[in-house]
Amino acid sequence: MKRIIELNINGDAYELLVSPNHTLLEVLRDKLGLMGTKRGCDLGACGACTVLVDGEAYLSCLMLAVDAAGRKITTIEGLAEGGDLHPLQRAFVDKGGLQCGFCTPGMILTAKAILDEEEHPTEAVIKKKMAGNLCRCTGYKKVVEAVMSVTEPAGKEG
C-alpha cells in the first residue's frame, strides 16, 4: 500500500506518494527527475548512487524512500550554491578527477562526507573511505589529488 512521505531534498520539501519498496534512488530519479544520482549496479557495490543523508554518505539504491522521510538529503544537484561549483566539484574539474562523469557525483558526495568528518584526511584515509566508489574508465589518482587539493591551504596547490 502506497503512503505519503515528506522528503527534504537539497533544502526543498517534497510530499510524495510512494510504495514501501521504492528506493530513495528510484524516487530521486523517477519521481523528482534528479538525474545526477546515478543508477549503477543497484546492489550497493559501485557507489554511483551515493547521496548525503544528514551529512553521511548513503547508497540510495539500498535505502528505502520511507526510511529517508524526515531526514536531510543532499544530491549532487544540491551541492553547488548560487550557480558556483562547490570546491570539490571545481577540484574534480581542475585536477582531471573525472572522465565520462558517470561515477563523479557519487565520488564527490563521498568526498564531501569525508571532508565534513575530517578537515585534513591523509591520502590513505581518502583512498580507504572512497574504496566503495568505483570508476569504470579512469584511475583513482586524479580523484584523490582532487580531494587532497581541497584540504590544502589556499595558495599551496600545485
Side-chain angles (χ1 to χ4, degrees), residues 18 58 64 73 116-117 143 154:
V18 300
Y58 274 78
L64 295 175
I73 300 156
D116 286 349
E117 184 180 303
V143 169

Side-chain angles (χ1 to χ4, degrees), residues 9-10 28-29 33-38 47-53 58 60 73-81 84-90 92-93 98 101-112:
I9 301 169
N10 300 329
L28 291 172
R29 290 182 60 88
L34 295 171
M35 306 306 267
T37 305
K38 303 301 184 197
C49 65
T50 302
V51 297
L52 299 179
V53 178
Y58 274 78
S60 63
I73 300 156
T74 304
T75 68
I76 196 68
E77 290 91 347
L79 209 54
E81 290 185 16
D84 295 325
L85 293 177
H86 182 277
L88 276 167
Q89 292 171 307
R90 172 57 49 210
F92 270 66
V93 171
L98 53 95
F102 184 83
C103 64
T104 305
M107 287 198 176
I108 289 174
L109 290 172
T110 299
K112 180 163 185 345

Side-chain angles (χ1 to χ4, degrees), residues 3 5-7 18-24 53-54 58 62-73:
R3 67 186 248 203
I5 62 170
E6 289 185 27
L7 296 177
V18 300
S19 293
N21 63 340
H22 278 165
T23 65
L24 180 57
V53 178
D54 295 333
Y58 274 78
L62 297 182
M63 184 176 206
L64 295 175
V66 294
D67 290 336
R71 302 177 78 180
K72 182 180 173 191
I73 300 156

